[in-house]
Amino acid sequence: MREGISLAVVRRLPRYYRFLRELMANDVTKISSKELGVRMGYSASQIRQDFNCFGGFGQQGYGYNVDYLYNEIGKILGVEKKYKAVIVGVGNLGHAIAGHINFEKRGFRLIGLFDIRQDIVGQEVGGKPVMHMDELEAFCRKNKPTVAVLTLPRDEAGAVAKQLIELGIKGLWNFSNGDLELESDEVIIENMHLGDSLMTLCYRITDSIE
Amino acid sequence: MREGISLAVVRRLPRYYRFLRELMANDVTKISSKELGVRMGYSASQIRQDFNCFGGFGQQGYGYNVDYLYNEIGKILGVEKKYKAVIVGVGNLGHAIAGHINFEKRGFRLIGLFDIRQDIVGQEVGGKPVMHMDELEAFCRKNKPTVAVLTLPRDEAGAVAKQLIELGIKGLWNFSNGDLELESDEVIIENMHLGDSLMTLCYRITDSIE
């Protein structure tokens, strides 16, 4: 991990990136840390602290150049990387992700989809034919994807993740319930916990109405 | 918001809840803040600090009773609340959420699904027939749902959210791209940003392999 940069800071970068894109869409060319903070719900000093992790991006009292800041954060995030990605598990969730997520704008290129169900194999999803899981190994050896999206049932996720890591996968975007607990230190796992978000909503509603 | 409890602490509660459930499944009955910290990647003092926000839950040097802690955190989260929820937008993502998310275990009860597409209206999804959006207003006035899951395109999300708030919805679980910017202070919005997670993964992979 880059020295002195916590995962908490890293997780805020995509949000900055989104807000800056909105500003650009609204023809805002310059913004102070204070104004940006008001829009995003952060303090100005938090924002300056975050940006200082990456060298600053602007002069105090002058404001940030929105365009420049957007591009710099994009570079830090690696949106131009085009890492090859596969989706494993093409049920409704895999379908939704293949269809709605713009991988290209987020540093990835979707190159293959896999499932075990015969009624899905061969179908086109997101413009690509779904392959059978039996083809996964040969496909990975040939095409060397960097990332796999796991949208398969929890019971199957662990074994498939292990296989993918053996095949050289460097990152997993995990939608299967539960944190993947893997022994390999060589893989980055980004767990999407929909249930955690739903429980947070439950707490916040209770807190707001009681 | 409960005094002195930040959203950051609240967001960790579902994760504690998950880890404690795992411990229970493995017949662990007692755990120290240190051991729990090692498993979860938090420091022991972070854990004690978090739990102190809610009154403690245990004695230092003795360890926490896993069962008790699990139940207390469940109560704080409100997993027994059974708030009524509707899903608006029954494409692949709405399908996936209706089919895979256990609302009942997370404080909610799914009572209705809505879409505008004639080929989807009338279909059974998650054991319930999908209704037409034209029926949304009458349904809400009669059944008074507390929460709506927004799984519809971003362009439509804003207008639908506004309508739902007028109909008395207190919370939105938003999967439409982009933060919902609403003027109402009376609604809690929990935004699910899949794209942010994907960009975080991109950063972390780059950071790990370069």
Side-chain angles (χ1 to χ4, degrees):
Chain A
M1 175 125 334
R2 289 193 207 199
E3 221 170 304
I5 299 171
S6 72
L7 196 52
V9 176
V10 170
R11 288 197 185 287
R12 284 194 288 272
L13 290 179
R15 191 153 182 263
Y16 284 119
Y17 195 64
R18 264 192 293 118
F19 271 78
L20 290 164
R21 192 171 49 207
E22 289 281 326
L23 290 173
M24 286 163 69
N26 292 315
D27 296 322
V28 178
T29 57
K30 209 168 277 184
I31 194 158
S32 67
S33 48
K34 193 178 161 191
E35 287 171 310
L36 188 58
V38 168
R39 283 171 188 258
M40 297 186 63
Y42 300 157
S43 71
S45 84
Q46 162 93 81
I47 287 175
R48 286 194 300 265
Q49 227 176 325
D50 283 353
F51 291 174
N52 279 338
C53 294
F54 302 96
F57 305 129
Q59 287 170 281
Q60 210 155 336
Y62 175 84
Y64 299 105
N65 178 315
V66 173
D67 238 72
Y68 175 75
L69 190 53
Y70 175 79
N71 286 316
E72 288 301 306
I73 290 177
K75 277 187 224 163
I76 291 166
L77 285 168
V79 295
E80 298 302 331
K81 292 287 180 188
K82 306 249 183 296
Y83 291 123
K84 294 177 196 166
V86 294
I87 292 180
V88 184
V90 195
N92 285 311
L93 189 56
H95 255 90
I97 287 168
H100 298 305
I101 297 284
N102 192 330
F103 282 89
E104 304 271 332
K105 281 197 173 166
R106 298 187 167 101
F108 299 92
R109 192 154 51 89
L110 188 59
I111 61 165
L113 300 100
F114 296 86
D115 205 295
I116 45 166
R117 285 162 297 179
Q118 289 299 348
D119 57 323
I120 291 168
V121 171
Q123 273 191 33
E124 282 232 340
V125 173
K128 287 181 184 58
V130 178
M131 291 170 269
H132 194 277
M133 281 297 284
D134 291 346
E135 302 173 68
L136 181 66
E137 182 171 342
F139 183 90
C140 289
R141 294 206 189 282
K142 187 176 169 203
N143 298 288
K144 302 196 179 358
T146 307
V147 163
V149 184
L150 297 183
T151 39
L152 69 178
R154 182 181 180 170
D155 292 348
E156 298 159 31
V160 170
K162 202 159 163 267
Q163 183 191 5
L164 287 162
I165 293 164
E166 283 163 11
L167 289 167
I169 284 281
K170 300 287 180 234
L172 295 169
W173 196 22
N174 177 39
F175 285 81
S176 308
N177 258 335
D179 283 310
L180 277 181
E181 308 258 5
L182 294 164
E183 282 167 44
S184 170
D185 286 337
E186 285 161 45
V187 69
I188 304 289
I189 301 173
E190 184 73 14
N191 290 301
M192 280 302 301
H193 290 299
L194 304 189
D196 284 13
S197 172
L198 189 57
M199 283 197 275
T200 302
L201 181 61
C202 183
Y203 175 95
R204 293 175 65 199
I205 288 170
T206 305
D207 198 43
S208 77
I209 64 182
E210 278 184 358
Chain B
M1 175 123 338
R2 289 193 208 201
E3 223 170 304
I5 299 170
S6 72
L7 197 53
V9 176
V10 170
R11 288 197 186 287
R12 284 194 287 273
L13 290 180
R15 191 152 182 264
Y16 284 119
Y17 195 64
R18 265 192 292 117
F19 271 79
L20 290 164
R21 193 174 47 211
E22 288 284 324
L23 289 173
M24 286 164 68
N26 292 316
D27 296 321
V28 178
T29 57
K30 211 168 277 186
I31 194 157
S32 68
S33 49
K34 192 176 162 190
E35 287 170 311
L36 189 57
V38 169
R39 281 171 189 258
M40 297 186 64
Y42 300 156
S43 71
S45 85
Q46 163 93 80
I47 287 176
R48 286 194 299 266
Q49 226 176 322
D50 283 354
F51 291 175
N52 278 338
C53 293
F54 302 96
F57 306 129
Q59 285 170 286
Q60 210 156 337
Y62 175 83
Y64 298 105
N65 178 315
V66 172
D67 237 72
Y68 175 76
L69 190 53
Y70 175 79
N71 286 315
E72 289 300 305
I73 291 177
K75 277 187 221 163
I76 291 166
L77 285 168
V79 295
E80 297 301 332
K81 291 286 181 189
K82 307 249 185 296
Y83 292 123
K84 294 176 195 167
V86 294
I87 293 180
V88 184
V90 194
N92 284 311
L93 188 56
H95 255 92
I97 288 168
H100 297 306
I101 297 284
N102 192 330
F103 282 88
E104 305 269 334
K105 280 197 174 167
R106 296 185 168 102
F108 298 92
R109 192 154 52 88
L110 188 58
I111 61 165
L113 300 100
F114 296 86
D115 206 295
I116 46 165
R117 285 163 296 179
Q118 288 300 348
D119 57 323
I120 291 168
V121 171
Q123 272 190 32
E124 282 233 339
V125 173
K128 287 181 185 55
V130 178
M131 291 170 270
H132 194 277
M133 281 298 283
D134 292 346
E135 302 172 68
L136 181 65
E137 182 172 341
F139 183 90
C140 288
R141 293 206 190 283
K142 186 177 169 201
N143 297 289
K144 301 192 176 9
T146 306
V147 163
V149 185
L150 296 183
T151 40
L152 69 179
R154 182 181 180 172
D155 292 348
E156 297 159 32
V160 169
K162 205 161 161 263
Q163 182 192 6
L164 287 162
I165 293 164
E166 283 164 10
L167 289 167
I169 284 282
K170 300 287 180 232
L172 295 169
W173 197 22
N174 177 39
F175 286 81
S176 309
N177 257 335
D179 284 310
L180 277 180
E181 307 259 6
L182 294 165
E183 284 168 40
S184 171
D185 286 337
E186 286 162 44
V187 69
I188 304 290
I189 302 173
E190 185 72 15
N191 290 302
M192 280 301 302
H193 290 299
L194 304 189
D196 284 14
S197 172
L198 188 57
M199 284 196 276
T200 302
L201 180 62
C202 183
Y203 176 97
R204 293 175 65 200
I205 288 171
T206 304
D207 198 43
S208 76
I209 64 183
E210 278 185 357

